[in-house]
Amino acid sequence: MTSAEPEPFFSVLGAVQVRRGQEQLPLGSPQQRALLAMLLLRRNDVVDLDEIVDGLWGEELPRTAAGTVRSHVYRLRCALGPRIETHGQGYLLHIAPGGLDLEVFDELVDTARACAAAEETGKAAGLLARALDLWRGAPLAGLPGPHAGIHRERLSELRLSVLLERIELDLRLGRHSRLVPELTRLCAEHPLHGRLRELAGLALARSGRNVPTAGDEKIARPHHAPGTPPAAEEPSPGGPPVRPDHAALPLPAQLPFSPDNLIGRTEAVRDLLDALATPRAAGSTAVAAVTGTGGVGKSALTVHVAQRLRDRFPDGQLYANLRGTSADPADPGTVLAGFLQALGAPAPAIPDGAQERAALFRTTVTDRRILLLLDDARDAAQVEALLPGSPTCAVLVTGRDTLDGLQTVRRVRLEPLAAPEGLAVLRTVLGPERIAAEPLQAAALAERCGGLPLALRLAGARLAARPSWSLSDLVRLFDGCHPAFPALPPFSVFPAPAGGSPDGITACVRPSYDLLDADEARLFRLLALPRRGATDVAGAAALGGLPPARAGQFLERLTGLGLLESPCPGVYRQYPLLRMFAAEHSREHDRPEEQAAAITRFLDHLLAEARTVHAAERPGHHVSGLLPPDGCPGRPDSRRRLLDPDHDGALSVAAQVLEAVPSAVAVAADLALAVEPLLEGSYLWAESLEPLRRIVGTAQEQGHLRAEGRAGYVLGSALAQLGRLDEADQILDSAEHAVRAVRDDAVHTGILNRRAHVCQYRAHWHQADALHRQAVAIGEAQGSDWACRNARASSVSTLLRLSRRDEATEISRTTLASAVDAGDQGGEAYALYNLGLTARHLGRIDEAVARHRQSAELGARHGSPAMEAMNLVSETAAQLAGRRLAEAVDCGERAVAATRRLGWHTAEARALHLVGAALTAAGDRERATARLAQAAEALTLTDLPQHPQAVPGDC
């Protein structure tokens, strides 16, 4: 740019244009001109890249947003020269003084207002007319994006307010007649604008024409809206001139665009409408707060609610983005200045101090019905500075912080969408055909997005832009990376270009993450290492190597910022996409050895918790390595956290640790042994197979016999219970050799007992009896009361098959007494079950049914659905033995349902077989044939014979 070259003149009051002398410069595409408009409206100030991206695309960001912005800037520089400078991650456009039409407009308006205040009415009217002549149509005409839309509305309101000022000055100058056509046209363009109608009526009256009545099609006097001051009385000739007042300004209507298809928030919308639409006779302003994690849809919900409330707040709606999650949150004093200007206060009348501005704001809105929407609040203090004091006003606030200190009439914590609602969001973006073509993959994609509307829309938009992609392609992108801890996918499912800005998801999460200090951020990252749904304070403390009190403070801070959720007291979990973000940042910032140390500490924590559970489940069973510390009782919810069927349990964490730290196999094997009672009671054997195989394989690779024996015992138990008998035999045989070698007698008793169960499945009764006796002998030698009691109880069904009923009855009674004395509820339920079996074999059907129901009830209280199912199966056999066919069918159907819920195919087959027998005896051969066929089908999933007569413990 040479010194002789004229400075360009920029225009935004119409289509965006740039002229250099008589030459109009080429500005490229509408989006490129929209970017230029953003730089122009900031007037020699830096506009951050994130602001540009949000302004051009809003929440529907393309993957290449940052690269597209850089391309636009490059092309604008080609047209404008080096006046566009790069500042960090933002851009600044140099504009010479007087080089922007909006700046010239503002200067003319300010000068005109000064003249009007000095009673220089004619000069003021002329200056305003010159200012209005700068407009060439709708401002920012034809520009896309939310930024252009917001400023187009703002500038249009600005023009109308200045136009009203000029008309009022012309009225003072007696130009009534020439104003009538202009005002008539303006009233037609703005039929609901009360002040225009008042001025038109005044111009008609002063020009000697009849003022139209309310039925006139051209102009009618409006009814005064509540809070709107009535029009000034028409002055008599020679009376004081009409002075402009705040009523000449259009009412503020600053609410952003509202999405027309808000999905899944019916209850939240109803709650907010109820809270804010009800008139408050007295008291303070009604405030409703909506909080939740980034991307959960807080802004969309509150804008939707605010738009529905517009009619109830006819004096205006004010909006401010408080930028609470940015490094530069909005200053309340600056926000108040904007509100006051929107409400008609001239700039010179606005005080400098924030407190004085707040006082003037409260005075201005007193008794006026105004709705405020304060988006993205940092904390309660930022919001409180902006609250009106009038009960006629209402406020909607959003924030990731829980805003606990803010007094509200309604508080809504927005959670991610449920699965059906998440699918509905995808359906609106992709169309029903693509969802129907891949329903399972659509559900998987919705699950990967964690129910966050922003993530769902971005995923849908990415697929919509790629019609050749299948939904499974995008799901594979979520799951396709295998870093140090596999199946922790990177947070680059929506990748930015090399060197580019964060994508829409990252941009949503990153501001909250950036507010954390180093220790808080480290814990947030480490929480993503275990592939679990939730943890508690102790688990988080273990991961971070922190004192529990310190970890608790960090967890509350993370929850307050929306980076964690707390579904119940003391439990915290990361939303799926936030876990991806945390895991990705852990790989970037935490060294592999730090990750390994953290996950190993977490494994030690799980083992400590599992020891207390094992001691409660196996009282009197002294297993080295599993004895809990003195005075460390198990917590009531330990069972759920260790073995949660909805998330990866402790065994999956153990297997995960071994991928990075194979030497931790001894701890992993002890953990497997400690949670074996929970596997037994809940019948979660199938879910345990893969992690157990990993632990056994690592133990064999490490040559760790004790770990191989312990994990092999649990793996063999799982295979036996699942009816995979041949593989169970092999695993249990190897495990027995290992425990013999290291003299791990406590585990040896368990292996012998489990091998006896395999023999029971195969109807090898004498072998089962011998194995039970061996187990009892080793338990006695070891001094384990529980091992002896359990082996004897397990032998009852074998003794009944061998017709040793008296011995079976005696063992059942003695094991019941022993279990009660030891406080062994599981053993007590098992003994009652055995008493039911022996009573049936002795022909005492009523006693058998009663014992089974006692056992089932105790099992339910103890949290053992497997015990409940076993008793239903055996009660069905008892009812059938007593020829109570209707009762047998009813109980059997409940047994079928219970075993199917558990996925226990052998017990399901036994229950179906019993129901089929009862239906046959009742003469219902059609239903009987169907049930017997289903029994045979269930057995195809096991190694059992096609006509099972027993499940372990049954006979």
Side-chain angles (χ1 to χ4, degrees):
M1 182 174 66
T2 66
S3 58
E5 188 176 33
E7 289 288 338
F9 184 82
F10 298 87
S11 299
V12 294
L13 303 180
V16 173
Q17 295 178 354
V18 182
R19 288 188 174 275
R20 181 178 285 122
Q22 298 300 314
E23 178 189 8
Q24 183 168 319
L25 303 182
L27 298 179
S29 67
Q31 190 175 73
Q32 193 165 296
R33 285 185 282 115
L35 191 157
L36 175 60
M38 296 176 71
L39 299 176
L40 290 170
L41 291 173
R42 288 293 279 270
R43 304 191 195 185
N44 296 310
D45 197 2
V46 176
V47 184
D48 290 332
L49 180 59
D50 288 345
E51 289 183 64
I52 295 173
V53 169
D54 289 341
L56 293 180
W57 290 283
E59 293 184 343
E60 300 293 340
L61 301 184
R63 178 177 59 85
T64 58
T68 301
V69 170
R70 292 188 177 90
S71 297
H72 289 337
V73 171
Y74 170 80
R75 294 189 184 96
L76 287 171
R77 280 175 175 154
C78 292
L80 303 176
R83 64 182 59 253
I84 300 180
E85 294 181 355
T86 300
H87 289 261
Q89 286 290 309
Y91 302 94
L92 179 149
L93 172 61
H94 287 286
I95 308 172
L100 175 65
D101 60 358
L102 178 59
E103 180 183 359
V104 176
F105 174 87
D106 287 340
E107 290 174 354
L108 288 169
V109 170
D110 289 343
T111 304
R113 287 170 176 166
C115 291
E119 300 296 331
E120 298 176 354
T121 307
K123 186 177 180 180
L127 289 169
L128 291 180
R130 284 176 54 195
L132 291 165
D133 286 340
L134 293 169
W135 291 73
R136 298 170 291 100
L140 309 178
L143 298 190
H147 176 274
I150 291 170
H151 284 275
R152 187 180 297 114
E153 183 177 352
R154 178 182 69 83
L155 291 172
S156 297
E157 292 174 359
L158 175 63
R159 178 184 179 276
L160 184 58
S161 68
V162 173
L163 181 58
L164 287 168
E165 288 184 53
R166 196 223 77 208
I167 291 171
E168 290 186 340
L169 292 175
D170 282 343
L171 283 171
R172 291 172 61 183
L173 294 169
R175 299 167 179 170
H176 315 126
S177 296
R178 78 181 194 183
L179 286 173
V180 170
E182 182 182 14
L183 282 166
T184 302
R185 174 178 54 80
L186 289 171
C187 286
E189 291 174 2
H190 306 279
L192 300 179
H193 199 292
R195 184 58 179 161
L196 275 173
R197 290 180 172 276
E198 292 169 4
L199 294 173
L202 192 57
L204 285 168
R206 289 185 177 180
S207 61
R209 307 184 193 184
N210 292 329
V211 179
T213 64
D216 194 294
E217 291 184 358
K218 294 181 180 179
I219 304 173
R221 290 185 181 272
H223 295 290
H224 300 300
T228 303
E233 293 294 329
E234 179 182 344
S236 59
V242 178
R243 294 183 180 274
D245 56 29
H246 299 331
L249 290 172
L251 296 174
Q254 300 178 347
L255 297 178
F257 168 76
S258 173
D260 58 357
N261 58 342
L262 191 70
I263 292 174
R265 303 304 191 191
T266 305
E267 184 176 348
V269 169
R270 183 176 60 249
D271 286 350
L272 294 171
L273 290 175
D274 289 346
L276 299 180
T278 304
R280 293 168 65 83
S284 60
T285 303
V287 180
V290 178
T291 60
T293 191
V296 80
K298 302 181 294 296
S299 297
L301 169 66
T302 50
V303 170
H304 175 84
V305 170
Q307 291 284 10
R308 290 182 59 175
L309 289 168
R310 287 178 69 119
D311 291 344
R312 293 184 177 270
F313 297 93
D315 294 329
Q317 305 88 41
L318 299 171
Y319 170 83
N321 184 344
L322 301 183
R323 305 195 308 274
T325 52
S326 74
D328 181 29
D331 172 59
T334 304
V335 174
L336 286 168
F339 284 169
L340 287 167
Q341 285 184 323
L343 293 168
I350 298 176
D352 291 333
Q355 292 185 356
E356 291 78 9
R357 289 179 179 181
L360 178 58
F361 174 66
R362 291 192 294 270
T363 301
T364 303
V365 300
T366 296
D367 297 329
R368 298 174 70 177
R369 294 172 61 184
I370 292 177
L371 175 66
L372 280 74
L373 175 50
L374 306 176
D375 200 11
D376 192 19
R378 168 160 289 194
D379 51 33
Q382 188 188 33
V383 174
E384 287 169 348
L386 303 172
L387 296 180
S390 174
T392 59
C393 297
V395 182
L396 264 171
V397 185
T398 76
R400 299 187 191 183
D401 187 272
T402 52
L403 304 174
D404 291 335
L406 188 65
Q407 291 188 0
T408 65
V409 296
R410 192 63 49 89
R411 189 179 297 274
V412 174
R413 181 71 179 177
L414 213 55
E415 300 295 339
L417 296 172
E421 297 160 347
L423 280 173
V425 173
L426 285 177
R427 191 177 294 110
T428 62
V429 182
L430 287 175
E433 296 81 7
R434 290 185 76 175
I435 300 298
E438 295 182 89
L440 295 180
Q441 292 301 318
L445 181 58
E447 186 271 332
R448 300 302 193 278
C449 290
L452 295 178
L454 173 60
L456 290 160
R457 287 197 300 272
L458 286 172
R462 192 171 193 203
L463 285 168
R466 296 163 176 80
S468 62
W469 283 27
S470 66
L471 273 69
S472 58
D473 290 332
L474 190 54
V475 172
R476 279 194 294 273
L477 279 182
F478 274 97
D479 299 340
C481 185
H482 297 278
F485 296 113
L488 285 174
F491 207 66
S492 53
V493 176
F494 309 100
S501 66
D503 58 68
I505 301 293
T506 303
C508 192
V509 177
R510 187 62 188 250
S512 292
Y513 178 76
D514 288 343
L515 293 175
L516 303 174
D517 65 29
D519 290 338
E520 292 167 341
R522 174 177 173 272
L523 180 61
F524 172 69
R525 297 192 302 267
L526 295 180
L527 287 172
L529 295 183
R531 294 192 291 270
R532 293 170 59 87
T535 190
D536 59 0
V537 174
L543 274 168
L546 299 167
R550 186 80 166 145
Q553 293 173 353
F554 289 173
L555 291 169
E556 284 299 309
R557 165 79 167 150
L558 293 169
T559 303
L561 289 173
L563 293 171
L564 294 178
E565 63 168 338
S566 181
C568 57
V571 176
Y572 302 86
R573 65 186 177 203
Q574 291 173 324
Y575 295 110
L577 285 177
L578 270 68
R579 189 182 309 139
M580 292 183 191
F581 177 92
E584 180 76 359
H585 281 68
S586 181
R587 285 191 291 273
E588 293 176 4
H589 299 289
D590 303 322
R591 298 190 308 274
E593 56 269 29
E594 291 177 311
Q595 291 181 322
I599 200 74
T600 303
R601 288 193 301 268
F602 189 70
L603 182 67
D604 290 336
H605 156 73
L606 291 178
L607 177 57
E609 192 165 64
R611 283 171 175 159
T612 63
V613 174
H614 186 272
E617 296 287 327
R618 301 282 192 260
H621 191 33
H622 304 302
V623 184
S624 63
L626 296 193
L627 299 179
D630 293 338
C632 184
R635 287 174 289 176
D637 56 350
S638 294
R639 295 169 61 97
R640 176 182 56 79
R641 285 198 306 274
L642 288 168
L643 213 62
D644 189 340
D646 295 327
H647 301 286
D648 290 325
L651 291 179
S652 293
V653 175
Q656 178 189 347
V657 171
L658 296 184
E659 296 168 14
V661 192
S663 59
V665 68
V667 179
D670 282 354
L671 180 61
L673 187 61
V675 300
E676 184 264 340
L678 304 183
L679 294 169
E680 183 87 63
S682 60
Y683 202 82
L684 290 174
W685 297 108
E687 291 80 357
S688 72
L689 285 180
E690 289 309 312
L692 286 170
R693 291 186 197 280
R694 177 72 181 186
I695 298 170
V696 171
T698 303
Q700 291 172 341
E701 292 167 3
Q702 298 280 310
H704 202 301
L705 290 177
R706 194 184 85 153
E708 179 187 351
R710 293 188 168 198
Y713 157 61
V714 184
L715 176 58
S717 297
L719 292 165
Q721 290 283 36
L722 293 169
R724 296 160 68 167
L725 305 183
D726 293 339
E727 191 178 359
D729 265 339
Q730 294 175 3
I731 296 295
L732 290 171
D733 186 63
S734 296
E736 187 173 3
H737 280 88
V739 298
R740 282 179 182 273
V742 295
R743 300 186 61 81
D744 196 355
D745 292 339
V747 180
H748 194 189
T749 60
I751 292 174
L752 291 170
N753 212 43
R754 196 62 76 184
R755 293 186 66 181
H757 288 169
V758 174
C759 291
Q760 288 177 337
Y761 271 125
R762 290 173 168 155
H764 298 166
W765 306 112
H766 290 288
Q767 292 181 30
D769 182 42
L771 288 166
H772 283 309
R773 290 177 181 277
Q774 281 184 264
V776 171
I778 294 177
E780 287 176 339
Q782 187 211 2
S784 173
D785 293 338
W786 182 88
C788 295
R789 181 167 60 249
N790 185 59
R792 290 190 177 105
S794 298
S795 72
V796 167
S797 57
T798 297
L799 295 173
L800 290 172
R801 285 290 182 178
L802 295 173
S803 299
R804 290 153 60 180
R805 296 186 179 88
D806 291 342
E807 189 177 349
T809 302
E810 180 60 26
I811 286 176
S812 298
R813 289 173 178 163
T814 56
T815 54
L816 176 60
S818 174
V820 170
D821 289 343
D824 179 5
Q825 289 188 335
E828 183 181 350
Y830 197 2
L832 288 168
Y833 171 83
N834 282 334
L835 285 171
L837 295 183
T838 57
R840 189 217 318 162
H841 275 259
L842 294 171
R844 300 197 291 264
I845 303 303
D846 289 339
E847 181 185 345
V849 169
R851 291 297 194 184
H852 285 310
R853 291 179 179 176
Q854 279 182 279
S855 176
E857 182 182 355
L858 184 57
R861 290 204 308 270
H862 189 58
S864 176
M867 181 61 70
E868 292 182 80
M870 282 174 56
N871 278 284
L872 284 171
V873 172
S874 291
E875 183 187 338
T876 302
Q879 300 282 16
L880 181 60
R883 304 297 294 176
R884 302 170 182 176
L885 302 181
E887 290 86 345
V889 171
D890 175 69
C891 186
E893 294 292 2
R894 287 186 284 119
V896 170
T899 53
R900 283 179 175 169
R901 281 194 299 271
L902 296 174
W904 191 354
H905 300 303
T906 53
E908 178 191 351
R910 173 66 170 153
L912 286 164
H913 193 271
L914 290 169
V915 171
L919 290 169
T920 300
D924 192 344
R925 296 192 176 276
E926 183 176 353
R927 287 177 62 200
T929 300
R931 282 312 199 194
L932 292 171
Q934 289 171 349
E937 183 179 353
L939 284 175
T940 61
L941 303 174
T942 73
D943 295 340
L944 270 68
Q946 285 298 301
H947 298 289
Q949 295 301 309
V951 296
D954 186 30
C955 59

